Amino acid sequence: MSGFIAANRAPARDTRGFSGMTSLQEELRRRLAGLGFDDVRFAAAGDPPANDLRNWLNQGMQGDMAWMARTAEKRLQPGLVLPGVRSVVMLGVNYWRKSKIGNPKSKMGDPTWARYALHEDYHDTIKPALVAAGRVLEELYGAAAGDYRYYVDTGPVLERGWAARAGIGFIGKNAMLISRRHGNWLLLAAILTRVELVPDEPVRRTIRRREPGSDTEVGLLCGKCTRCLDACPTQAFPAPGVVDARRCISYQTIENKGIIPREFRPGIGSRIYGCDICLEVCPWNRFAREGRRMLLAARDEIAGLTLREILELTPARFTEVFRRTAIKRIKLTGLLRNACVVAGNSGEPDLLEPLVRLAAHDSPLVRAHAVWAVHQLGGAARLATLRARETDGAVLAEYVTA
């Protein structure tokens, strides 16, 4: 470990002209904020901001996210992503909204969406601002196009660790970046660059004491609070700051492309896509203010969909409703799977009719979860004919264990 860290340290800084550097850098910060970023901070691309990634991967906590293991070295050594990298520009986009988004006529059991999902896909709406940010680097510092690379939550970058290093916030016990200005509600983007920038100070308990590794210390300003750990309905936190993705509702409803284990289905409750529980309960959110949302495009109509409407979605209607959103990633079969779980938890026998239809769906994935939901709502007798002709092993297992 020590060998690769030493090899990856940024070159020594020449402090001559420091005042001029910082003046130009503040102009860079101002220009990037003008593009729509709600927080702009800088870090030196030296030692990696987190060293527990390999341990996390070795325990298999990434689940089926195989790319996490494939890109581990790049995440730990940014020089493998951009040779000669000297700085990391961390950018935050605040997506907090005080007003409650949803259907005013919604009933208990209607779907709950992760807040970020109620927008057009942020990967797409933030990218143009990153392209413009690159041009600002070129203009102010004479950088070439090959002197930087940018990512919006998709590249081999430890965004939360670098954001903590840059002082945007600190890593909470929920493993999220927590900002004293924005709470838990920041989408992060990163620019790796060969341009040398003066690093911002990380968040610390006191301004008089610096401890090794204090920029990425888990729960730095959490105190004794464990609300996030206690609130998780699927017990996805084996330790503070550590998420076992295999137990996480967001993973199960988005990244898992197969059967959702039965042990987690009751805990999913009404959450049809993603989960904000460990974010919402954080006391730091009381300081959050609404963001400018210059780089976001709201899709509030999604929150108005009833569970029955989702269970009755056709391929054409799915494409129409979820175009340009992150939700389209899980495709219609994934959303129907999730909707069946939510329906099974709803206690609403009125949903048996669409669920029985889905128990005959072309996709075994949908059929399996529909069968579970029908049994949960006491409608097993309606499935006798379908069970007699079912041949898929995963679906038959739901009939047997329901």
Side-chain angles (χ1 to χ4, degrees), residues 109-340:
D110 270 345
T112 301
W113 307 84
R115 286 175 180 266
Y116 80 85
L118 300 177
H119 299 85
E120 292 190 7
D121 193 334
Y122 67 88
H123 301 94
D124 299 329
T125 60
I126 293 177
K127 183 178 178 180
L130 285 174
V131 173
R135 295 196 185 105
V136 174
L137 278 172
E138 294 176 20
E139 176 189 339
L140 295 182
Y141 290 89
D147 288 331
Y148 60 88
R149 288 191 179 181
Y150 51 75
Y151 299 97
V152 192
D153 192 31
T154 55
V157 180
L158 293 169
E159 293 97 343
R160 294 173 195 169
W162 287 115
R165 172 73 57 83
I168 288 182
F170 64 95
I171 305 299
K173 293 177 184 178
N174 59 1
M176 301 298 293
L177 183 82
I178 301 176
S179 163
R180 292 179 291 185
R181 294 173 52 207
H182 310 291
N184 288 251
W185 310 109
L186 280 178
L187 302 171
L188 296 175
I191 303 175
L192 306 183
T193 179
R194 296 189 179 110
V195 172
E196 183 177 18
L197 299 169
V198 179
D200 288 313
E201 289 291 317
V203 174
R204 300 195 188 112
R205 285 197 185 91
T206 70
I207 62 173
R208 291 175 293 177
R209 181 176 56 138
R210 180 176 181 127
E211 298 175 356
S214 63
D215 54 350
T216 53
E217 181 182 338
V218 169
L220 185 70
L221 300 181
C222 293
K224 296 181 180 179
C225 180
T226 58
R227 289 186 191 181
C228 57
L229 308 181
D230 300 335
C232 180
T234 53
Q235 299 178 319
F237 296 101
V242 180
V243 179
D244 186 338
R246 299 165 298 185
R247 303 188 65 87
C248 177
I249 292 173
S250 286
Y251 171 85
Q252 290 296 337
T253 58
I254 300 175
E255 302 297 344
N256 178 12
K257 308 306 179 188
I259 297 290
I260 295 176
R262 281 183 287 274
E263 66 175 300
F264 301 136
R265 294 175 197 171
I268 287 174
S270 64
R271 284 162 284 277
I272 196 167
Y273 184 94
C275 179
D276 289 333
I277 291 176
C278 67
L279 287 72
E280 290 174 337
V281 300
C282 179
W284 279 102
N285 290 332
R286 69 182 182 272
F287 300 110
R289 299 179 180 179
E290 289 203 26
R292 295 176 293 167
R293 298 197 298 277
M294 291 172 60
L295 304 181
L296 301 173
R299 293 290 299 275
D300 294 351
E301 73 277 10
I302 293 173
L305 293 168
T306 67
L307 185 52
R308 188 181 187 99
E309 287 175 317
I310 296 171
L311 291 169
E312 294 176 341
L313 282 171
T314 64
R317 179 64 175 154
F318 173 83
T319 300
E320 175 188 355
V321 172
F322 298 104
R323 69 190 186 284
R324 299 195 300 273
T325 71
I327 299 165
K328 70 180 184 297
R329 288 179 50 210
I330 64 172
K331 302 181 180 178
L332 177 58
T333 53
L335 187 60
L336 289 176
R337 174 201 65 180
N338 296 350
C340 287

